[in-house]
Every structure is written in C-alpha cells, then in structure tokens.
Amino acid sequence: MGSRVEEFEEELRKTKYNKATQHHVGLLKAKIARLKDEELHKSSGGKGEGYAVRKTGDGTVIMLGYPSVGKSTLLNAITNAESKVGAYDFTTLDVIPGLMLHNHAKIQVLDVPGIVHGAASGRGRGREVLSVVRSADLVLMLLDVFHPGHLRVLQQELYDSGVRANTSRPDVKISRKMRGGISMASTVPQRHMDRETLETVLREYRLMNCDVVLRSEVTVEEFIDCILGNRIYLPAIVVLNKVDMVPAQKAREVAEACKVDIMVSAQLGTNLAELKELIFTRMRLMRVYLKQIGKKPDMDEPVIMRQGCTVQDVCTRLHRDFVAKFKFSRVWGPSSRFPGQKRMLPHVLRDQDVLEVHLR
Ligand SMILES: Nc1nc2c(ncn2[C@@H]2O[C@H](COP(=O)(O)OP(=O)(O)O)[C@@H](O)[C@H]2O)c(=O)[nH]1
Ligand SMILES: [Mg+2]
C-alpha cells in the first residue's frame, strides 16, 4: 500500500489525543480511510478475480481461518461437502461450498483459502476472500486452541476490508446540497467528536455543502464509515476448534481470552449440533409452519424466514397474489396470545409459529 498511508499512520501514532488535537486526529483518520478505500477499489475491480459464488438456500456462512485450523474438517462435518482435508497448509485452493441442513433451513457454508496477514492490502489471496465475505450473511471465524492470536488478525482483516462485525449501522444521514455550507443536528450527545472535527472530516471528503443528522453517538471512524457508505454490517461468531487436543482447562482459558462463542472438535464431532443452532439463530433465521384451513399444519416443511418478519412477508413469499387477496390469518404458537388468534398483515411472527392464511 502507498507510503502516504504509512506516513499518516505514523503521524497518527505520534499525536497525543486531547481536546486540542481532536480535529487533527480526525483529519488524519479521514485521510487514511480515504486512501485505503481508494486502494481497495482500485485493485478489486480490474481482473475479475473475485469469486462468484451463487447464493443458494436460506443464507450463506463464510468460514475464515488460517490454514490448518480445521476449516475443511468442519465443513465436512456440518455439511454435505467433500472438502479435501490436509495435514499441511494451503490445501483448499478455491471456494468449497457445502450445504448445511438445520431446522429445515438450507444454509450454504463456504470454505475459502486460508486468510493470511495483509489480506485487505492485497497480499495473499485475501482480497478475493474478502469479496466473498461481503456477500455473506454470517462470518464464522475459526481458531484452534494453539493459535489464539489469530483472532486479532482475522478481525483486523475483516475491518480493513470494510466489514463491521457485530455492530449495527450508525444512524447518520448525510444529504448533499448545492450551497449553504454544512449544517448539523444531533439528537444525542456526541462525546467522541466536536463540530470542528466533523467538519474537518467532511471537507476531507469534499463535502462542503451538506445536511448531517446524527441519531446515534458515533466515533470518528464510524462517521467516516457513514460518509464512505460502502461498509457491510454482518453478524460474526468465533469458534474454537481442536479442543480435544488440549486439557479442558487450557481450552477454557483460550475460550475466555478470545471471548469465543463456542468450543468444538470438528474431528470428534463435539458440540456441532450446538454450533448449527448458533448459526441458525445468529443468522436470525426462523421457521413458520403453514396450515391449510381445516387441516393439520405441515410440520415437515416450514417456510424459512428472518426474525422480525410479518404475516405479509410470508404471504409475499408464498404467492404474488396472496397479499392482494388477504382477508385475515390465524396464528398458533409463540407470537399468538391464544391458539388460532386472528392476525392481520403487519403482525410480527416468531420462530415456530403456525400460520393459516384466509383469502378472499
Ligand atoms: N484433533 C483434532 N484434529 C483436527 C480437528 N480439526 C481438524 N483437525 C486436523 O487438523 C488438520 C488440518 O485440518 P484441515 O481441515 O485440513 O484444516 P484447514 O486447512 O483449515 O482446512 C488435519 O490433520 C485435521 O485432521 C479437531 O477438532 N481435532
Ligand atoms: Mg482446508
């Protein structure tokens, strides 16, 4: 990457952060982010080297992890894929997709070449890996008990490629206008930035005339993310593998230090059912069982939806005429106050609800 980035980073390291330097620090961060963003786009377009993995099923999980942590083994254990397992590095040379079935959902799991340090800056094959990450619904970071230090690197690579793991998009609206300078309104106190810093950052991005409305408290980095507008906000889970290879106490220590979500042994099959369930819920998937009037519900083939979905969302999925012809629905299960409660299109459903749609 360009030496200008390194220069700015060096300056940033040397600058003590306080009230007086706040906006200068903001400016440096804005310059670094802009150069990195240009760099990322310059080289990801060109040669069409990015993987094109067709999305199938109800969602896509991408596994990230260094070589030999057990990605192929895990993929084989939780999906129908037959990925070559090697006792040495770099055996997985392409994206290997597998289909995982859980709670009747079909979840695509992708194994990609081991991510190596410097991925986002183009070293190794990280950039292609990260282009796949950006199309995923969930990132699974795989560590093994011997290398807890991998986590920090994986997280940094993700971050540098524009993925924001386990955070939601800040509520910031920036609208350009022709003249009038910068106007700003915030509905919450902004403790990380003052107005001058914000304006400095905006000017660095040539936003001389715009209206800014902040509805959440943001850091300079988060504000820059909003200006660039190309960040991806994804849920991520950290999985600790090979726990069978060390004493339980040691595995627990690593798990604690890395704040892992779950410990598994891909080889022995330990905790894999729990892992599948975790993937299902973190992807915010849920089941809706359909029931025809006067019949028993179909418990074998639920419609797989996302948490927060409404009766209308399910109707839209079922048939293009269903919303127009909708009269009312009846709901049994977690979201109904009593069995067979009458509910209309905006009703929010829950996992394992039973739905009966009445049409005109
Ligand atoms: N003991 C043990 N060995 C494992 C486990 N998972 C993977 N391995 C072994 O670790 C080596 C590398 O695994 P592989 O799946 O090829 O790693 P990848 O490079 O991340 O795809 C192979 O020899 C696997 O058999 C595990 O949970 N326990
Ligand atoms: Mg492999």
Side-chain angles (χ1 to χ4, degrees):
M1 194 181 290
S3 60
R4 283 178 66 207
V5 171
E6 277 154 30
E7 266 171 45
F8 289 136
E9 280 177 339
E10 178 65 22
E11 194 180 337
L12 188 59
R13 267 193 297 278
K14 284 193 287 199
T15 309
K16 267 233 185 68
Y17 184 86
N18 58 44
K19 266 264 169 289
T21 60
Q22 192 190 45
H23 86 273
H24 183 61
V25 166
L27 178 64
L28 287 173
K29 287 180 176 171
K31 284 184 186 296
I32 292 165
R34 191 166 55 76
L35 289 169
K36 282 189 172 174
D37 189 62
E38 282 166 9
E39 189 74 22
L40 204 59
H41 283 94
K42 197 161 54 193
S43 23
S44 57
K47 289 199 287 178
E49 261 198 74
Y51 295 109
V53 182
R54 204 155 48 88
K55 279 200 170 200
T56 60
D58 300 301
T60 302
V61 178
I62 177 159
M63 274 198 295
L64 291 185
Y66 273 71
S68 298
V69 294
K71 295 183 300 300
S72 302
T73 310
L74 184 63
L75 187 77
N76 291 342
I78 63 174
T79 75
N80 62 356
E82 281 184 27
S83 177
K84 213 169 97 198
V85 175
Y88 47 89
D89 297 352
F90 296 113
T91 45
T92 314
L93 289 174
D94 251 308
V95 175
I96 313 229
L99 206 59
M100 177 184 111
L101 297 176
H102 186 69
N103 292 343
H104 299 280
K106 296 181 188 69
I107 299 169
Q108 193 175 39
V109 183
L110 304 178
D111 176 12
V112 289
I115 207 168
V116 287
H117 185 54
S121 54
R123 269 169 272 165
R125 305 182 65 191
R127 191 169 326 212
E128 296 96 294
V129 174
L130 293 164
S131 75
V132 182
V133 173
R134 293 171 71 93
S135 68
D137 302 294
L138 178 105
V139 178
L140 188 163
M141 285 183 262
L142 193 63
L143 305 175
D144 69 21
V145 286
F146 305 109
H147 306 93
H150 287 173
L151 180 60
R152 288 286 298 277
V153 184
L154 294 175
Q155 285 170 333
Q156 189 63 45
E157 299 299 347
L158 265 183
Y159 187 90
D160 286 345
S161 69
V163 177
R164 299 292 173 264
N166 293 331
T167 53
S168 49
R169 189 183 296 278
D171 193 343
V172 173
K173 294 249 159 8
I174 303 170
S175 353
R176 289 164 190 273
K177 51 186 186 182
M178 296 302 287
R179 60 182 70 82
I182 296 167
S183 82
M184 224 172 311
S186 181
T187 59
V188 291
Q190 297 292 337
R191 282 166 295 189
H192 304 301
M193 294 184 296
D194 57 17
R195 195 190 159 99
E196 193 185 356
T197 306
L198 247 135
E199 288 192 10
T200 308
V201 171
L202 285 168
R203 277 196 214 96
E204 173 63 23
Y205 287 92
R206 305 278 174 273
L207 286 159
M208 314 298 189
N209 299 294
C210 59
D211 294 327
V212 179
V213 180
L214 305 142
R215 287 198 181 79
S216 51
E217 192 183 1
V218 289
T219 61
V220 175
E221 284 83 357
E222 288 168 335
F223 186 60
I224 293 168
D225 284 347
C226 295
I227 296 175
L228 287 169
N230 56 3
R231 303 316 193 202
I232 305 235
Y233 298 82
L234 280 182
I237 57 176
V238 179
V239 180
L240 186 63
N241 189 31
K242 304 195 188 182
V243 295
D244 59 294
M245 294 181 79
V246 293
Q249 176 60 25
K250 163 82 176 155
R252 271 196 300 274
E253 276 167 28
V254 177
E256 188 117 323
C258 296
K259 296 198 174 70
V260 309
D261 293 286
I262 189 167
M263 298 193 265
V264 301
S265 167
Q267 183 104 317
L268 302 183
T270 316
N271 250 359
L272 296 187
E274 290 79 359
L275 174 61
K276 289 181 181 182
E277 183 64 20
L278 183 66
I279 290 172
F280 184 87
T281 51
R282 287 289 181 91
M283 288 178 93
R284 299 176 51 81
L285 295 175
M286 55 172 262
R287 293 154 281 184
V288 177
Y289 299 103
L290 298 177
K291 179 185 175 311
Q292 287 188 317
I293 300 165
K295 290 190 182 160
K296 286 220 168 88
D298 176 2
M299 303 306 281
D300 296 328
E301 234 181 291
V303 187
I304 302 297
M305 304 292 298
R306 296 272 160 165
Q307 282 168 32
C309 81
T310 59
V311 171
Q312 174 158 359
D313 295 329
V314 176
C315 287
T316 306
R317 171 83 82 83
L318 294 176
H319 194 282
R320 60 191 150 89
D321 294 339
F322 271 23
V323 174
K325 291 186 179 159
F326 183 86
K327 212 157 70 182
F328 64 89
S329 72
R330 289 193 187 281
V331 179
W332 289 257
S335 82
S336 70
R337 254 183 280 154
F338 52 86
Q341 190 183 12
K342 214 165 160 177
R343 305 266 60 185
M344 303 309 280
L345 288 172
H347 175 68
V348 176
L349 294 161
R350 296 237 210 109
D351 186 32
Q352 294 198 282
D353 271 343
V354 172
L355 178 70
E356 180 183 85
V357 180
H358 292 247
L359 302 172
R360 272 180 288 154

